[in-house]
Amino acid sequence: MKYFAAVLALAASAVCDPTVYLIRHGEKPDDEGIGLSPQGVQRAQCLRSVFGAGSQYNIGHIMAQEYKASGKRKRPYDTVLPLANDLGLTVDVSCDRDDEKCVADVVDDYKGSGNILICWEHDALNNIAEEIGAHDVKNYPDDSFDLIWTQPPPYKDITDTTSENCPGLD
């Protein structure tokens, strides 16, 4: 009986651990200004289909880096806001751009249903994946905006890199 209870507890904990998906924010304006370029806005709209309610991703929590009141560092938030609105979620902006431990703590403490989508500045994505538990993560390519990194429990590896497949962008 004790063995059976232990197996059930282990199975329940495995079911509750979310898969983490990491993506880069949408494209920025050519002038390096604040906000998303027209292509970035198009990508944000496309993500509504990619990660939306009918998708395989089953997103239950969305994170983007904390942004400044001036609008700086807001691209990740702007990229996932349309999706969050569709899913009835609030974008979690509780972690600073450079605080990978904060992001790992949110993942570790997450007890909700569904998986976690993290949208961040690309230079920090490898650090976030490593802080969550992955080993030897290569940098997110500077010239790509469409990659989805899949990091399932127990979070030791990025097991898949796929494209968002946004028409006209990827």
Side-chain angles (χ1 to χ4, degrees), residues 8-23:
L8 281 178
L10 183 61
S13 69
V15 169
C16 294
D17 289 339
T19 295
V20 175
Y21 299 100
L22 300 106
I23 63 171

Side-chain angles (χ1 to χ4, degrees), residues 43-146:
R43 182 169 306 283
Q45 293 302 314
C46 174
L47 294 179
R48 297 169 69 203
S49 297
V50 174
F51 293 104
S55 78
Q56 66 184 3
Y57 294 100
N58 187 29
I59 301 301
H61 190 79
I62 300 175
M63 295 185 73
Q65 66 194 35
E66 181 181 42
Y67 56 87
K68 306 287 185 188
S70 66
K72 290 188 179 224
R73 299 185 180 179
K74 196 174 177 206
R75 284 186 197 99
Y77 176 82
D78 290 341
T79 300
V80 294
L81 183 59
L83 170 64
N85 289 338
D86 286 356
L87 295 175
L89 301 173
T90 301
V91 179
D92 177 350
V93 291
S94 63
C95 298
D96 183 70
R97 177 190 68 186
D98 302 319
D99 192 352
E100 298 90 6
K101 181 165 180 3
C102 176
V103 177
D105 287 345
V106 170
V107 170
D108 189 48
D109 294 342
Y110 181 69
K111 302 298 181 227
S113 62
N115 297 311
I116 300 173
L117 176 64
I118 298 173
C119 183
W120 225 261
E121 184 176 313
H122 77 289
D123 287 335
L125 286 173
N126 65 311
N127 296 332
I128 291 169
E130 287 176 350
E131 188 67 36
I132 292 170
H135 302 286
D136 301 322
V137 179
K138 292 184 176 19
N139 290 338
Y140 193 103
D142 289 336
D143 59 348
S144 294
F145 286 87
D146 68 314

